Amino acid sequence: MNIEYLRFFYEVASVKSISKVANNSHISQPALSQQIHKLEDNLGYKLLDRSNKGVQLTEAGKIVEKYAKNILKVYENMLVDLNDISNNNKAIRIDAFPTMATYALPCTIYMIKEKYSNYNYYLNSDYSQKVESNIINDVCDVGFIEGAPDNNDLFYSSVGRDRMVIVAGKDYDIPDKIAVDELNRFPMILLIEEYKAQKVLEKKLMDLGFDIKNQNVLFSLDSIESIKTLLIKSLGISILPYSSIKKELYLKQLKEIKVFDESLEYDVNIIYKKDKEMDTSVKEFIDFLKKVGEKSFC
């Protein structure tokens, strides 16, 4: 199977348009259609239903799309590894949930790069469930997730803790401390449930007799930065990981609202595959994180 056929199929499946992918790739639409036809011939299944309104995935197409991203990623990783051989470097691929990848790990990567300068580090942001899947499928070497892994084939070790914090803009008209039953007076902007910490939060709140889904929720977003922008403009309140808003709290752009006596904490774990023969470079990275933990985080 030609990897480029798969790449073009995945791009078409993502945007649901052959013409858009053809224009973006600077090839003719008939040439692109022919390459996808060749992929269908190779696999023995029709992958796309074509019409004047665009394309739709067949059942077989949905299966191929499911695996295509990982296949393409592993292929790209292989090319990087081959290139690193000639440069006497070793690539270490790290997947981390968005809060960790954006706000905590960059400083850690910098520190360990100073210690092991002959290694190349590649940091990718993804949700915890996907990070687990990427570890199992050898897309990455190590991962960072919220809480314990769901997959029993993974080792994990705590490298720190974070907590969910109720926050608002510094000028937002809300007391610094309120009762639980007063929360529904204020519009809330939440993280989407793909954030595992959000699910942990909802469960803990339910245990305390507080159902967040019955509150005054404006909408849920996948971007912490977008939520912070709305909060700073005093458009509502939110519950966010402390590591993602500590800068804004220090600069007094945001303020913490005390509601619960119980801390809404969760573990940050490093995960890796149990049965995988570990390269020395990966082992050194894991040992470094276990030793320094959150002291190295930004």
Side-chain angles (χ1 to χ4, degrees):
M1 179 181 69
N2 188 310
I3 196 71
E4 288 305 313
Y5 298 167
L6 185 64
R7 190 186 308 281
F8 281 128
F9 163 76
Y10 183 72
E11 291 176 3
V12 169
S14 298
V15 300
K16 303 293 189 294
S17 170
I18 291 177
S19 60
K20 286 182 180 179
V21 174
N23 289 334
N24 293 337
S25 303
H26 306 292
I27 63 174
S28 69
Q29 189 169 331
L32 176 57
S33 294
Q34 186 179 34
Q35 294 199 37
I36 294 176
H37 277 305
K38 288 180 179 178
L39 176 64
E40 291 175 321
D41 290 341
N42 288 341
L43 296 175
Y45 291 91
K46 184 180 180 181
L47 304 179
L48 299 173
D49 284 325
R50 300 160 176 82
S51 70
N52 293 333
K53 296 181 179 180
V55 297
Q56 295 294 325
L57 293 172
T58 64
E59 288 303 309
K62 292 176 182 177
I63 292 174
V64 175
E65 183 193 28
K66 174 183 174 182
Y67 290 99
K69 184 177 181 179
N70 277 353
I71 293 172
L72 292 170
K73 183 64 177 176
V74 170
Y75 178 77
E76 290 169 3
N77 289 349
M78 179 189 70
L79 295 181
V80 170
D81 285 349
L82 290 172
N83 182 66
D84 285 340
I85 289 176
S86 60
N87 296 323
N88 291 320
N89 286 330
K90 170 62 182 176
I92 301 176
R93 295 177 183 84
I94 307 152
D95 273 19
F97 64 96
T99 309
M100 193 71 176
T102 304
Y103 304 102
L105 274 180
C107 291
T108 303
I109 302 298
Y110 180 84
M111 287 177 62
I112 198 169
K113 180 66 177 178
E114 285 192 317
K115 185 175 178 64
Y116 302 106
S117 59
N118 58 321
Y119 300 153
N120 290 329
Y121 299 92
Y122 300 88
L123 176 60
N124 177 63
S125 174
D126 221 323
Y127 300 113
S128 291
Q129 186 176 15
K130 182 61 176 176
V131 172
E132 288 191 41
S133 174
N134 286 345
I135 292 286
I136 292 297
N137 293 315
D138 295 320
V139 174
C140 60
D141 300 302
V142 294
F144 292 86
I145 63 171
E146 305 138 295
D150 297 323
N151 195 307
N152 293 327
D153 291 327
L154 295 172
F155 279 121
Y156 68 99
S157 179
S158 177
V159 292
R161 292 178 69 78
D162 205 349
R163 62 187 177 96
M164 300 296 282
V165 181
I166 299 178
V167 285
K170 67 179 180 64
D171 297 323
Y172 192 66
D173 187 15
I174 183 174
D176 292 340
K177 186 174 183 178
I178 62 175
V180 174
D181 56 7
E182 294 181 283
L183 273 176
N184 59 13
R185 293 170 41 205
F186 306 97
M188 301 185 75
I189 306 162
L190 300 179
L191 288 171
I192 58 176
E193 288 190 350
E194 279 76 4
Y195 281 85
K196 196 173 181 181
Q198 185 69 19
K199 294 180 180 179
V200 173
L201 165 69
E202 291 182 10
K203 183 179 184 305
K204 285 189 175 182
L205 295 183
M206 286 291 289
D207 293 340
L208 296 171
F210 178 79
D211 187 353
I212 198 170
K213 292 181 178 178
N214 290 333
Q215 302 310 304
N216 183 13
V217 178
L218 288 178
F219 40 72
S220 298
L221 299 176
D222 66 350
S223 168
I224 292 177
E225 289 300 309
S226 296
I227 293 177
K228 288 195 292 186
T229 298
L230 296 173
L231 295 181
I232 290 171
K233 291 181 178 294
S234 295
L235 298 178
I237 66 174
S238 188
I239 310 179
L240 296 173
Y242 173 75
S243 61
S244 70
I245 46 92
K246 61 182 180 180
K247 175 183 175 183
E248 287 76 13
L249 291 175
Y250 176 77
L251 295 175
K252 300 189 184 305
Q253 295 174 311
L254 298 176
K255 60 184 177 182
E256 181 175 355
I257 312 302
K258 298 291 185 181
V259 178
F260 307 103
D261 293 330
E262 182 177 335
S263 177
L264 302 174
E265 291 189 336
Y266 59 91
D267 284 319
V268 174
N269 287 308
I270 187 170
I271 61 172
Y272 44 98
K273 203 170 179 179
K274 283 183 178 179
D275 61 352
K276 185 176 181 179
E277 185 176 343
M278 193 173 295
D279 188 272
T280 301
S281 59
V282 177
K283 186 178 186 303
E284 288 174 340
F285 178 83
I286 293 171
D287 290 343
F288 177 84
L289 260 296
K290 287 182 177 179
K291 181 178 180 181
V292 302
E294 58 188 320
K295 293 178 182 178
S296 68
F297 299 161
C298 295

